[in-house]
Amino acid sequence: MIDVSTLTLKEIVSSLEKEKFSSEELVLAYQKRIKDVDEDLNSVLEISPTAQDDAKKIDKARAEGKSLGKLAGVPVLLKDNMMVKGWGNTSGSQILEGHKSIYNATVVERLKKAGAILLGRTNMDEFAMGSSTETSHFGPTKNPWDKKRVPGGSSGGSAVAVAAGLAPIALGSDTGGSIRQPASLCGVVGLKPTYGRVSRYGLMAMASSLDQIGPFARTVEDVAFLMSTIEGKDSKDATSVELKDTSVPELMNPSVDGMKIGIPKEYFLKGMDKDVEKLVMNAVAELEKGGAKVEEISMPHTEYALATYYIIMPCEASSNLGRYDGLRYGYHSTGNNLAETYSLSRGEGFGPEVKRRIMLGSYALSAGYYDAYYRKALKVRSLIKQDFDEAFKHVDAIVTPTSPSIAWKLGEKFGDPLTMYLSDIYTITANLATVPAISLPCGFSKDMPVGLQLMGRPFDEYTLFRIGMYYQNLTEWHKRIPV
Ligand code: GLN
């Protein structure tokens, strides 16, 4: 059987083309690995029953010399909040237990068109609310580098799956850091694309002005490759944008010579782990050696980002989650009248974190509070966005840590929402400002991975890929795998 534990997307595409192995063999090898190692990790909620047949079809088409898509025969895992027709997608929630998706998300359609094999769905914090994948109704996912620690969240399942070699690539969603933070804590690459780059049609909405779908992989090159298959305008998502440049990794010249890189002083304050700071600054020094010009910049409204996010996100979430009424899909509890049925179904079906946010959001949106909270938060969001606009007049990319610390112990922050929320301090600004941001491994502290975050101008993922590929050509961090 193929040893899939270290395979990258690029290696798989080339091996499939050269017929070193078939897609069916590959799928079987990943399925076996999931069976062997995921019982402990709990990153995969369900393996697709059709994956092997889907792979056979691609193998047959290849044997017949048919023209194939860019991801022909490549297995991919999807976060549980992306709809795949016929799958039991739940967003990690009890309220959707028993739900069957009746259509495909646009990213799913595009992956299928590119020939990818949908391998299964991954665990996540309930409705993507969390930073540790502990709020999932289906139990926590564990970090493959140390199973006593969290993988980050909310896309913890996808990050763990890629880190543990259960799939070469996976998709997640990022509303405040849910791709980048678990990527950082698990030692893989994760990209939150610019708002509008990837269609969210068929993504179960959390906070619609912040949500983006994006890829996980071992290398920046693989992330760029995967992006090129899912990005671009979609008539079913009015916020998606016609792209001038698509992600074409082949054409990239990974050099940072002459590039201007900003280090925002507001991101390097108290509370950050000293090792994390050191490793991030080592990475910056590498870029400087390559000819990048590094300068300190100021983003003065950063300190308001967390407060702003924790108004806007719950407001939007409280509205988006109104649709789960216990009648149309999933969990149902019968009361004496309609109001009681709603109340019982929602009260029993949602977990505590989701209820907390629905209550926060409903409160902040209610008459008399709307202006004081929601409108004010939108104004501060504009100021945060202006910080980025101003910075990008002088620099091509901004470098920060992805997470202020390495992965913490399971249970350590669970039950203490404020401490949990603080772990997103470096990632939420990119969502508020709608800019692209990528996390890639930049070293280890106490044998746990540390991530470097690069943020770029809107729709300039290309610059992030260039810097990231340059850095990965020089370093080996992304090649280490958990035992
Ligand atoms: N951890 C953040 C939150 O709990 C971000 C979640 C996300 O990006 N989906 O809201």
Side-chain angles (χ1 to χ4, degrees):
M1 195 160 262
I2 317 163
D3 176 11
V4 290
S5 60
T6 64
L7 287 180
T8 63
L9 171 61
K10 195 179 167 195
E11 287 161 353
I12 288 177
V13 168
S14 129
S15 297
L16 286 169
E17 272 167 9
K18 293 188 189 121
E19 299 188 37
K20 282 195 186 153
F21 46 69
S22 69
S23 174
E24 186 184 7
E25 286 171 300
L26 194 63
V27 164
L28 290 175
Y30 277 115
Q31 286 176 337
K32 169 145 189 342
R33 192 164 164 80
I34 292 171
K35 277 212 184 75
D36 290 347
V37 310
D38 201 49
E39 194 160 338
D40 271 2
L41 297 173
N42 195 31
S43 71
V44 180
L45 292 177
E46 190 184 354
I47 300 185
S48 161
T50 65
Q52 192 181 347
D53 286 342
D54 296 342
K56 275 188 190 159
K57 279 183 206 142
I58 294 282
D59 289 335
K60 186 160 171 280
R62 196 186 297 279
E64 287 166 357
K66 296 218 173 98
S67 95
L68 297 171
K70 284 170 97 170
L71 293 174
V74 179
V76 52
L77 283 167
L78 303 167
K79 188 175 181 177
D80 189 27
N81 58 357
M82 289 163 215
M83 310 259 236
V84 182
K85 195 172 171 182
W87 285 17
N89 295 105
T90 65
S91 254
S93 181
Q94 185 182 14
I95 209 156
L96 281 173
E97 235 176 4
H99 162 255
K100 283 267 176 282
S101 301
I102 53 168
Y103 65 93
N104 283 331
T106 293
V107 287
V108 167
E109 285 294 331
R110 291 189 178 176
L111 286 172
K112 280 164 120 14
K113 199 163 152 230
I117 309 297
L118 309 181
L119 196 58
R121 56 191 173 90
T122 58
N123 204 3
M124 58 183 283
D125 278 301
E126 186 177 2
F127 284 104
M129 298 179 189
S131 313
S132 65
T133 318
E134 289 169 294
T135 71
S136 168
H137 175 62
F138 305 99
T141 297
K142 293 171 191 152
N143 194 308
W145 294 92
D146 175 354
K147 289 180 203 155
K148 292 194 189 66
R149 292 177 190 267
V150 299
S154 64
S155 315
S158 291
V160 167
V162 171
L166 310 182
I169 47 175
L171 291 186
S173 64
D174 190 314
T175 304
S178 278
I179 293 174
R180 291 158 288 154
Q181 186 256 19
S184 163
L185 270 41
C186 292
V188 297
V189 184
L191 170 76
K192 181 202 85 76
T194 308
Y195 187 77
R197 193 166 189 109
V198 180
S199 164
R200 287 100 37 87
Y201 178 74
L203 172 74
M204 295 181 190
M206 177 189 180
S208 306
S209 77
L210 302 161
D211 298 339
Q212 263 294 290
I213 293 176
F216 287 96
R218 283 240 166 80
T219 67
V220 175
E221 194 179 8
D222 284 358
V223 157
F225 191 84
L226 178 51
M227 272 304 286
S228 71
T229 67
I230 59 169
E231 64 194 1
K233 177 84 187 150
D234 171 22
S235 59
K236 294 184 181 126
D237 176 356
T239 64
S240 68
V241 166
E242 198 79 60
L243 298 176
K244 284 204 283 305
D245 308 300
T246 49
S247 305
V248 189
E250 295 85 356
L251 296 182
M252 272 177 225
N253 160 30
S255 144
V256 295
D257 197 19
M259 216 177 250
K260 287 203 188 118
I261 288 174
I263 312 286
K265 61 172 189 241
E266 290 80 2
Y267 284 65
F268 290 81
L269 295 175
K270 58 179 184 298
M272 189 193 305
D273 183 307
K274 283 293 152 214
D275 276 359
V276 170
E277 177 166 1
K278 197 178 91 216
L279 291 167
V280 167
M281 292 320 286
N282 287 350
V284 170
E286 276 306 335
L287 302 179
E288 222 168 356
K289 268 194 253 158
K293 294 191 182 47
V294 178
E295 59 180 89
E296 187 182 89
I297 57 170
S298 173
M299 307 187 74
H301 298 96
T302 306
E303 65 173 302
Y304 307 114
L306 203 66
T308 305
Y309 174 83
Y310 275 99
I311 294 292
I312 294 174
M313 176 274 302
C315 285
E316 294 184 11
S318 70
S319 160
N320 274 327
L321 269 57
R323 74 191 71 179
Y324 303 105
D325 56 10
L327 297 178
R328 281 178 287 184
Y329 6 68
Y331 187 86
H332 171 84
S333 187
T334 310
N336 291 318
N337 51 48
L338 186 61
E340 204 177 290
T341 295
Y342 286 156
S343 173
L344 285 174
S345 299
R346 286 168 66 85
E348 293 163 16
F350 286 132
E353 183 59 30
V354 173
K355 283 191 258 190
R356 179 178 298 119
R357 297 197 193 191
I358 290 174
M359 285 190 279
L360 276 172
S362 306
Y363 180 83
L365 285 177
S366 51
Y369 296 107
Y370 182 93
D371 285 327
Y373 294 113
Y374 187 63
R375 193 187 299 280
K376 193 178 231 167
L378 292 182
K379 288 181 182 165
V380 182
R381 181 178 185 175
S382 300
L383 295 174
I384 291 166
K385 172 93 178 112
Q386 279 169 25
D387 280 357
F388 277 86
D389 294 344
E390 197 50 46
F392 287 129
K393 286 185 192 154
H394 311 286
V395 298
D396 302 304
I398 295 169
V399 176
T400 74
T402 309
S403 159
S405 73
I406 57 168
W408 55 92
K409 296 259 166 66
L410 283 153
E412 193 179 319
K413 299 186 184 178
F414 199 59
D416 180 357
L418 197 57
T419 310
M420 189 72 88
Y421 297 171
L422 281 166
S423 60
D424 300 321
I425 192 127
Y426 300 138
T427 49
I428 51 178
T429 49
N431 301 77
L432 290 168
T434 73
V435 302
I438 195 167
S439 177
L440 59 150
C442 69
F444 285 77
S445 163
K446 303 183 185 79
D447 294 326
M448 295 301 292
V450 171
L452 173 76
Q453 177 173 240
L454 309 170
M455 298 189 271
R457 297 186 178 102
F459 297 101
D460 187 19
E461 276 77 357
Y462 182 79
T463 294
L464 306 185
F465 295 154
R466 265 177 67 190
I467 303 172
M469 282 168 70
Y470 173 83
Y471 182 73
Q472 289 199 321
N473 283 345
L474 289 178
T475 55
E476 302 272 310
W477 307 120
H478 58 290
K479 294 191 180 151
R480 281 208 208 169
I481 53 160
V483 187

